Amino acid sequence: MLGFAAGEARMLLLMALVWISLLTQARGGVLQDAIIGGHEAHNHSRPYMAYLSGKSKCGGILVRNDFVMTAAHCNKNITKITLGAHNIKMKEESQQDVQRFSIFLHPEYDPKTFANDIMLLKLKSKVKLNKFVKPIPLPPAKKKVKAGDVCSVAGWGRTAPRGRLADKLQEVNLKVVEVEECKKISENFEEDSMICAGDPQKREASFNGDSGGPLVCQNVLQGIVSHGLSNGQPPRIFTKISHFLPWIKKILR
């Protein structure tokens, strides 16, 4: 009996070690279910998040009760904007769907270089603001982002280079890196209008399906998920919102 108990104890210990190992792998990037290297966001912790569905899937940012900001390259037959969502595969009571809106594409957007990758969507009717749906303010013009700043990005994009799109909102922290890092991966990187974020030594990044989502630095909206290497390797490139404030405010008026 004593031998049986000892054997059973060893088996339980082995099962526990296997479970701990699986959890460690999931957090370390082997069994990911998040933005690459990230994790599930707290329910409705980002009430400004928007989900754009149509020919492609993108994120968006509610910047006023009648305007959503996103990336210009997301302009591919958008049919619906969903606000107040956490799990976009479920019909949550918190969700508000908008299917009537006007598109304001930046007039100098270049799909080949991703220059001026920004777009505004004017909702035909104002959304109802509550704890699930709330706009995030535009960044102050003088609030600059610098290398070393830690920012966060969120979205429902792919969980790995060949992974599936996430059902639940995911997030990850990314560090802003020196301009030279992004010039290594993109000869079209423009310091004035783009932000470079993501440690090239880590597997933490935004990816396909996260486009148009927010880059938030020190609780200030600073960027829009734009583009990067096709394998998901960081750093990633974000549209610098402060550079476009004159155009944004013109459209909002």
Side-chain angles (χ1 to χ4, degrees), residues 115-151:
N116 309 302
D117 192 12
I118 184 171
M119 177 172 68
L120 285 167
L121 306 175
K122 172 69 166 67
L123 312 184
K124 293 297 184 182
S125 58
K126 297 178 179 179
V127 296
K128 182 179 180 181
L129 300 184
N130 51 43
K131 65 179 182 179
F132 305 112
V133 178
K134 187 183 301 182
I136 185 171
L138 293 171
K142 295 182 180 180
K143 186 71 174 180
K144 303 297 182 181
V145 177
K146 61 184 184 299
D149 287 350
V150 177
C151 306

Side-chain angles (χ1 to χ4, degrees), residues 220-236:
V220 177
L221 175 64
Q222 292 286 8
I224 302 169
V225 179
S226 179
H227 64 289
L229 294 176
S230 60
N231 63 1
Q233 178 68 31
R236 311 298 286 176

Side-chain angles (χ1 to χ4, degrees), residues 34-77:
I35 279 181
I36 296 177
H39 58 269
E40 182 181 343
H42 291 297
N43 280 9
H44 307 291
S45 58
R46 297 173 183 264
Y48 48 81
M49 289 296 303
Y51 179 71
L52 313 183
S53 53
K55 185 176 180 180
S56 60
K57 313 297 183 185
C58 278
I61 312 154
L62 185 69
V63 294
R64 207 171 75 178
N65 60 359
D66 58 346
F67 269 98
V68 167
M69 181 186 296
T70 187
H73 75 264
C74 290
N75 181 30
K76 297 177 181 178
N77 191 31

